[in-house]
Amino acid sequence: MNITKKHIVSHFKQQEGAIHFDALLRAFGGRHVKRELKNMLNDMAEDGEVIRLKGNSYSLPGKMKTTRGRISVHRDGYGFVTPEGGGEDIFIPSKFLKGSLHGDLVEASSSPSRMGENKLDGRVLAVVERATTRIVGRYEETRRGAIVIPDDQRLNLVVSIPPKGRGTAEDGHQVVAELTSYPSGGKPAEGQIIEVLGWPDDPDVEVQSVIRRFDLPHVFAPDVLAEADGITDIVSVADLKGRIDLRSMPTVTIDGETARDFDDAVSLRREGDNFRLWVSIADVSHYVIKDSPLDQEAYLRGTSVYFPDRCIPMLPERLSNGICSLNPNLDRLTMTAEMLFDRSGTMLESSFYASVIKSAARLTYTIVKQIIVDNDMELADKFRPVSPMLLEMKELALILMAMRKKRGSIDFDLPEPEIIIGLTGLTEGIIRAERNLAHQLIEEFMLAANEAVARYITSRDIPFLYRTHENPDPAKLQTFQEFVFGFGYEFKLVEEKVKPSELQRLLAQADGRPEERMINYALLRCMKQARYAAENVGHFGLASDCYCHFTSPIRRYPDLVVHRILKAALITGSKGEPEGKRASTQLTIATERLGEVAEHTSKRERVAMEAERDVVEMKKLQYMQQHVGEEFDGYITGVTAFGFFVELEELFVEGLVHISTLSDDVYTHAEKQHSLIGRRTGTIFRIGDAARITVVSVSPGTRRIEFTLAAHTASTTATRTAAGTSVSEEYPRIPLRGKRVAALQPRGDDSGQGGGGKKGRPSKGKSVSRKRR
């Protein structure tokens, strides 16, 4: 008989569980069909129609207990499968990836790991859906033929390019290749060149490579641009209908020096002991109609993406820098949150309405700081109409900061790098990005407005798009608890949960101490990533039970959705019942598919953050290439079995001091104490220690920087173990006998995230950005 896939699937459906190949062979005719059956099963396994199990057995997907999820592959070859339905990630050793690539949807088996409680090890059984169809990388011509080496090191493959698929690519070019086949049975992946980007040392090519690699939409379609061009660039009399006129008020925008899109403006009036604050936000929803080409493109992008030398906007510049931007001395349509606060920071009342404003001044953080902090009388006189208001804003901002601190809001006051790009596009410097009271002032006012809008809509029992942040993972909390105990700190866990105020207290205790930054970073990695959701689970980091994003609709799609819901809510009845067909229709349209919108925009935010971080890291590597052989001061940020990571002061650049370069002793990794301990000398390298290093090598291709140690100063804080002893007590100095062998180990997780997981089982190496609350 001719064996078909249909016959094989039908046979599996009649059986229970997995079937050994020998049993299948007997069922389909015996030895004379062995090769045909084997080839058919191999083809079906590659297509995910059957699952190949160890022991030469097979099963249909779903007929055995497997886990479906996305696989995240580390550049060193291993991976983790994150289950679709939630639960513990499954660690996949490199030999069990079964041809799966980073981001693929896979079926995996799992079993309890020997490396720790609640840990799972497994293997990929089948690739259900490929995530990668195109790769960006370096085109190389070798003796064995042309290949493309992906920039993304998580794609552990080399793509073979046949002669007909090479196009105009030259050896060394940066290219985009489309995959025509995936690695299978020892055969490499194959592809064809579809775009030649240029030479890799061209700064523009570097950024274009990142845009292609992260699949960032960066060109507006003709119909989108046509719709944007059709929007008037002035506010008409008709536009003012139904709006509160705030043009006579002293409203100002406060942004960075290079900002061009101003989507928030503020005004304040003192009323006795109270403060009345107006936060007016660009009314983007007036111009971007739901389901229009502009709206569909904005939804697709989800957010603007910011690189050191450019921005990929969510909306065309005609809108983002034009009619939607709250430029000074021009009428602009806005949505306003008006709030009244008492001297304790309690919000006494709030109201929301469509409005029109005219910004009185385009202020910068630097100008505001010089007026409210430095008491610059010359600048205060120059901005005389608004200077008194700015001082009152300072007073309210400090009150709101104290109120948030009292309720337990967690503030990570961690420095961030600012990349200085020269006229040629190359990195000329890395400096600490300034964050002063002017930044905090605007942040407090935006937080207050976001929370007020969320509370208003929630009180009306209307479906809504929330910004949520869940309690940290219990296992990570316990690890963090052990980590800070080593520095002499403690916090309470109640039923595996912690109150934000407990963590805030911990950060306050560490303030100004050598380990302060390390504890901040360690806690940050312990946190879950904030996301958008249609269900309100609160915002842990802000200690808020109800929060949303309302204040940046020019650059964030969720804010645009929130504006539409708020507008629809404002024309409903006092009990939430729509008054009239128009109101009912608007509310229905504004709140449809909120779960889908939340999931999509959360994904787009994560992609944007990864792309932004990738470009910043690339620019750092560029800069450090100019400083090979030089010495810098830094501090230890992570310790692993293969060495420790040092972040350079003021440059925010991290590199590895490999254990093989520490030739004075043999070092043992004390994982719970985040330390390396010398067996003979008792020398201890641990997180927070000061270190002076020499830059040995910088490899942009592998995204690695190698250091050697020039000098080391141990932290003054005594390190404790869980038993209350010090590290040196737990690991006494041991005299060496016989031949000394350096403890050189293969690289595990050297992602700079504070070290790997259990020995032999690397950690996932996820990091969390604090830039987007």
Side-chain angles (χ1 to χ4, degrees):
M1 64 177 287
N2 290 325
I3 303 174
T4 66
K5 292 182 179 181
K6 186 177 181 180
H7 291 140
I8 294 175
V9 170
S10 177
H11 183 73
F12 273 107
K13 287 181 177 178
Q14 297 171 23
Q15 309 295 318
E16 289 292 332
I19 307 175
H20 194 275
F21 179 75
D22 290 346
L24 288 168
L25 192 60
R26 289 192 296 271
F28 285 99
R31 289 187 174 275
H32 70 282
V33 297
K34 182 176 181 179
R35 179 175 295 178
E36 181 185 359
L37 179 62
K38 191 71 174 177
N39 290 340
M40 184 68 72
L41 287 168
N42 286 341
D43 289 344
M44 294 178 72
E46 292 300 329
D47 294 337
E49 296 172 292
V50 298
I51 295 173
R52 186 189 294 115
L53 307 173
K54 60 182 179 180
N56 208 19
S57 294
Y58 297 83
S59 173
L60 287 180
K63 289 209 71 174
M64 61 175 294
K65 190 175 180 181
T66 62
T67 300
R68 179 171 290 195
R70 294 280 173 188
I71 186 163
S72 298
V73 180
H74 190 273
R75 63 184 178 184
D76 287 329
Y78 58 85
F80 288 86
V81 173
T82 302
E84 283 187 325
E88 182 69 25
D89 289 349
I90 304 168
F91 173 64
I92 310 292
S94 58
K95 63 182 179 180
F96 295 139
L97 288 177
K98 199 177 181 291
S100 59
L101 303 177
H102 177 75
D104 286 350
L105 183 65
V106 301
E107 290 276 356
S109 64
S110 63
S111 57
S113 172
R114 292 176 296 176
M115 305 312 299
E117 228 179 294
N118 300 321
K119 303 290 185 183
L120 296 174
D121 289 347
R123 60 175 68 200
V124 173
L125 302 174
V127 177
V128 178
E129 177 183 283
R130 291 289 185 181
T132 302
T133 59
R134 296 180 177 181
I135 64 161
V136 178
R138 184 81 61 90
Y139 174 80
E140 294 185 3
E141 294 179 353
T142 70
R143 286 181 296 176
R144 294 186 176 184
I147 59 173
V148 173
I149 302 173
D151 286 351
D152 190 344
Q153 295 176 55
R154 297 172 299 182
L155 297 174
N156 286 284
L157 81 165
V158 172
V159 181
S160 176
I161 307 295
K164 291 183 179 179
R166 298 173 187 177
T168 60
E170 298 179 29
D171 188 27
H173 263 159
Q174 193 75 358
V175 300
V176 181
E178 187 169 55
L179 294 177
T180 55
S181 68
Y182 293 88
S184 172
K187 294 181 179 179
E190 287 194 358
Q192 59 184 8
I193 307 300
I194 60 172
E195 187 178 8
V196 176
L197 298 176
W199 300 107
D201 56 354
D202 182 333
D204 188 61
V205 170
E206 291 172 342
V207 175
Q208 291 301 323
S209 295
V210 172
I211 289 172
R212 303 301 192 283
R213 182 149 67 86
F214 287 93
D215 198 21
L216 300 175
H218 61 289
V219 177
F220 289 106
D223 60 337
V224 176
L225 292 175
E227 184 182 353
D229 289 341
I231 295 174
T232 179
D233 57 2
I234 60 171
V235 174
S236 68
V237 175
D239 291 330
L240 304 184
K241 184 179 179 182
R243 292 182 179 270
I244 304 295
D245 192 341
L246 303 178
R247 287 176 290 184
S248 61
M249 293 183 59
T251 303
V252 298
T253 60
I254 305 174
D255 293 272
E257 271 77 5
T258 60
R260 295 170 61 195
D261 54 338
F262 314 121
D263 50 13
D264 59 85
V266 291
S267 185
L268 184 134
R269 185 174 68 212
R270 192 70 176 267
E271 297 182 356
D273 287 337
N274 299 331
F275 302 84
R276 187 171 295 277
L277 173 68
W278 288 264
V279 175
S280 296
I281 308 299
D283 189 359
V284 177
S285 65
H286 180 83
Y287 300 102
V288 180
I289 308 304
K290 195 171 188 305
D291 295 328
S292 66
L294 267 173
D295 182 58
Q296 291 173 7
E297 182 68 20
Y299 176 74
L300 175 68
R301 298 184 178 214
T303 180
S304 295
V305 185
Y306 295 91
F307 297 143
D309 63 343
R310 73 193 68 191
C311 168
I312 302 176
M314 185 180 80
L315 298 171
E317 287 193 7
R318 180 173 173 81
L319 294 183
S320 61
N321 298 351
I323 190 64
C324 291
S325 182
L326 307 183
N327 298 325
N329 303 312
L330 293 172
D331 291 353
R332 287 294 184 258
L333 304 183
T334 50
M335 292 295 295
T336 295
E338 181 181 331
M339 299 160 282
L340 183 66
F341 298 93
D342 65 16
R343 292 197 60 81
S344 69
T346 301
M347 189 182 298
L348 303 177
E349 62 181 58
S350 62
S351 60
F352 312 91
Y353 46 82
S355 57
V356 57
I357 70 163
K358 180 183 285 188
S359 171
R362 181 270 200 260
L363 303 178
T364 67
Y365 294 118
T366 302
I367 290 172
V368 174
K369 184 241 182 188
Q370 289 173 323
I371 293 174
I372 69 173
V373 177
D374 302 335
N375 297 316
D376 188 318
M377 299 310 295
E378 186 177 338
L379 266 180
D381 187 61
K382 179 179 177 181
F383 294 97
R384 188 183 307 168
V386 297
S387 291
M389 181 180 72
L390 293 176
L391 293 171
E392 291 176 342
M393 285 182 173
K394 169 188 174 181
E395 189 177 351
L396 175 60
L398 292 173
I399 289 171
L400 294 177
M401 288 166 63
M403 181 273 297
R404 280 203 306 112
K405 183 176 180 180
K406 184 177 179 180
R407 78 182 188 189
S409 180
I410 303 170
D411 281 323
F412 293 99
D413 193 13
L414 290 168
E416 292 184 351
E418 182 178 333
I419 308 296
I420 307 301
I421 305 295
L423 295 176
T424 61
L426 297 176
T427 308
E428 292 190 347
I430 304 172
I431 62 174
R432 178 192 293 258
E434 186 176 7
R435 183 171 182 263
N436 54 48
L437 184 57
H439 294 85
Q440 294 170 310
L441 181 152
I442 287 297
E443 182 177 306
E444 290 300 330
F445 292 174
M446 298 305 113
L447 290 174
N450 286 335
E451 194 167 63
V453 170
R455 290 186 186 281
Y456 171 72
I457 299 296
T458 302
S459 71
R460 303 287 298 276
D461 200 24
I462 294 171
F464 197 49
L465 186 61
Y466 295 94
R467 180 67 169 179
T468 63
H469 185 221
E470 292 149 302
N471 205 288
D473 178 79
K476 290 183 178 179
L477 266 180
Q478 188 172 357
T479 301
F480 176 69
Q481 192 176 42
E482 292 174 357
F483 168 64
V484 298
F485 187 85
F487 291 97
Y489 302 102
E490 297 180 81
F491 62 88
K492 295 179 183 177
L493 282 177
V494 179
E495 296 180 353
E496 297 188 321
K497 290 188 176 182
V498 64
K499 291 182 178 180
S501 56
E502 276 289 289
L503 299 180
Q504 181 208 73
R505 178 184 58 79
L506 171 66
L507 295 181
Q509 288 177 343
D511 186 31
R513 301 184 65 84
E515 65 273 9
E516 176 190 5
R517 193 183 296 187
M518 295 307 96
I519 288 178
N520 271 266
Y521 278 127
L523 177 57
L524 191 62
R525 289 192 292 269
C526 181
M527 295 288 186
K528 291 185 178 179
Q529 189 164 347
R531 62 186 177 88
Y532 299 104
E535 303 79 30
N536 182 24
V537 296
H539 196 295
F540 176 83
L542 294 174
S544 175
D545 58 5
C546 194
Y547 192 69
C548 74
H549 273 171
F550 160 73
T551 55
S552 296
I554 289 177
R555 63 182 178 90
R556 291 189 306 225
Y557 192 82
D559 301 54
L560 180 55
V561 173
V562 166
H563 276 234
R564 288 173 178 153
I565 295 173
L566 177 61
K567 273 188 174 181
L570 291 173
I571 58 173
T572 61
S574 58
K575 296 182 180 180
E577 293 297 328
E579 294 178 347
K581 186 176 180 181
R582 175 173 164 268
S584 177
T585 301
Q586 283 190 9
L587 192 57
T588 300
I589 292 174
T591 58
E592 64 184 0
R593 301 187 300 113
L594 286 179
E596 183 181 330
V597 170
E599 183 178 359
H600 170 75
T601 53
S602 295
K603 286 179 180 177
R604 295 310 304 168
E605 179 188 37
R606 287 193 294 272
V607 169
M609 288 168 60
E610 285 187 37
E612 291 168 351
R613 185 164 52 238
D614 193 82
V615 170
V616 168
E617 291 305 314
M618 182 172 61
K619 295 297 184 183
K620 288 180 181 179
L621 287 160
Q622 269 183 6
Y623 182 74
M624 293 309 296
Q625 280 183 301
Q626 307 165 35
H627 298 280
V628 172
E630 297 181 23
E631 290 190 2
F632 294 91
D633 290 318
Y635 53 91
I636 296 175
T637 56
V639 180
T640 74
F642 50 80
F644 54 83
F645 295 91
V646 174
E647 183 174 299
L648 307 185
E649 291 180 7
E650 305 305 324
L651 291 180
F652 312 100
V653 172
E654 194 172 62
L656 174 70
V657 175
H658 202 276
I659 198 169
S660 61
T661 66
L662 303 174
S663 57
D664 65 320
D665 205 341
V666 176
Y667 287 87
T668 302
H669 181 214
E671 184 181 1
K672 288 186 177 180
Q673 286 72 46
H674 298 263
S675 303
L676 286 177
I677 298 100
R679 293 178 60 191
R680 179 177 57 84
T681 63
T683 300
I684 300 173
F685 298 104
R686 67 166 190 147
I687 285 183
D689 286 0
R692 186 166 181 82
I693 58 84
T694 302
V695 182
V696 176
S697 67
V698 179
S699 175
T702 59
R703 300 294 176 96
R704 283 186 169 120
I705 301 177
E706 301 285 344
F707 297 153
T708 56
L709 188 67
H712 166 247
T713 304
S715 172
T716 56
T717 306
T719 305
R720 300 185 301 173
T721 67
T725 59
S726 71
V727 168
S728 56
E729 289 170 339
E730 190 176 42
Y731 294 88
R733 298 182 183 184
I734 303 172
L736 296 175
R737 297 177 182 176
K739 186 176 179 181
R740 290 176 59 209
V741 181
L744 176 61
Q745 297 190 14
R747 294 178 183 233
D749 177 21
D750 59 352
S751 60
Q753 301 301 324
K758 298 291 183 182
K759 183 179 177 182
R761 177 192 171 95
S763 71
K764 193 171 182 180
K766 287 199 297 186
S767 64
V768 182
S769 171
R770 65 183 178 86
K771 293 170 74 175
R772 305 170 188 252
R773 283 187 159 171

